[in-house]
């Protein structure tokens, strides 16, 4: 008896095959090998193992191995990138909380996105430029002048004085320092 059951209807990552005989199990394995060229399974320690069909030819076998490696690298990159974004968000929130920015103000969300955008950029900018401002304006469907007014109001609410650019530049510096500290803490763990 062969049965496919989804673990969660919204997530199609798990499939269970129930086999009542060795012959049925071997037929299913052969079907997967014909379709994919390999079978992967995880052991109890989280390590992946693969059985690759080498019966066709060397090139097909090599392509199957390269596909497995490519998929693995993509998954590792996504996991690493997700962790990086979480640390960046945490650094931004910690700095905003340090100054007691009120979450209900528009400026909080504008500033949060602005700081996250600068931190995530590979350019290591210390001053927000037109591109960063345009990203924030587009995300919140507002204009540059309105963005500046809202940020100015938000800075006054937490007693930060100076031009928006000066204050933002200082906040960026603090967020970058906080992010580095969070990275070091994660490495130590």
């Amino acid at each position: 008896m062969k049965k496919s059951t989804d673990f969660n209807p919204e997530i199609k990552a798990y499939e269970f095959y129930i086999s009542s005989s060795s012959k049925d199990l071997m037929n299913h394995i052969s079907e997967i090998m014909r379709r994919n060229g390999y079978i992967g399974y995880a052991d109890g320690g989280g390590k992946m193992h693969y059985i690759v069909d080498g019966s066709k030819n060397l090139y097909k076998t090599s392509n199957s191995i390269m596909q497995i490696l490519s998929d693995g690298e993509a998954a590792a990159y996504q996991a690493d990138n997700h962790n990086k974004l979480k640390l960046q968000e945490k650094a931004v929130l910690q700095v905003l909380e340090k100054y007691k920015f009120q979450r209900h103000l528009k400026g909080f969300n504008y500033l949060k996105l602005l700081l996250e955008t600068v931190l995530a950029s590979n350019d290591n900018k210390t001053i927000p430029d037109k591109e960063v401002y345009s990203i924030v304006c587009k995300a919140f469907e507002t204009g540059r002048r309105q963005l500046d007014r809202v940020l100015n109001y938000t800075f006054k609410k937490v007693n930060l004085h100076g031009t928006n650019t000066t204050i933002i530049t200082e906040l960026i510096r603090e967020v970058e320092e906080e992010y580095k500290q969070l990275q070091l803490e994660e490495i130590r763990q």
Side-chain angles (χ1 to χ4, degrees), residues 127-178:
I127 300 174
D129 61 1
K130 291 179 185 178
E131 184 180 324
V132 174
Y133 267 71
S134 68
I135 290 169
V136 175
C137 289
K138 190 174 186 177
F140 291 100
E141 297 178 356
T142 191
R144 167 86 188 230
R145 287 184 188 169
Q146 179 65 17
L147 174 63
D148 279 330
R149 279 194 297 272
V150 169
L151 289 176
N152 190 39
Y153 174 79
T154 305
F155 294 145
K156 285 181 180 177
K157 291 290 270 183
V158 294
N159 293 320
L160 291 176
H161 302 286
T163 66
N164 286 357
T165 304
T166 305
I167 295 168
I168 292 170
T169 301
E170 181 60 27
L171 290 173
I172 290 169
R173 187 190 61 73
E174 288 188 41
V175 166
E176 287 173 341
E177 287 177 15
E178 186 66 35

Side-chain angles (χ1 to χ4, degrees), residues 109-122:
N109 293 320
Y110 292 0
L111 195 54
K112 181 178 178 288
L113 178 59
L114 189 145
L115 294 171
E116 288 174 348
T117 302
V118 170
L119 191 59
S121 75
N122 294 330

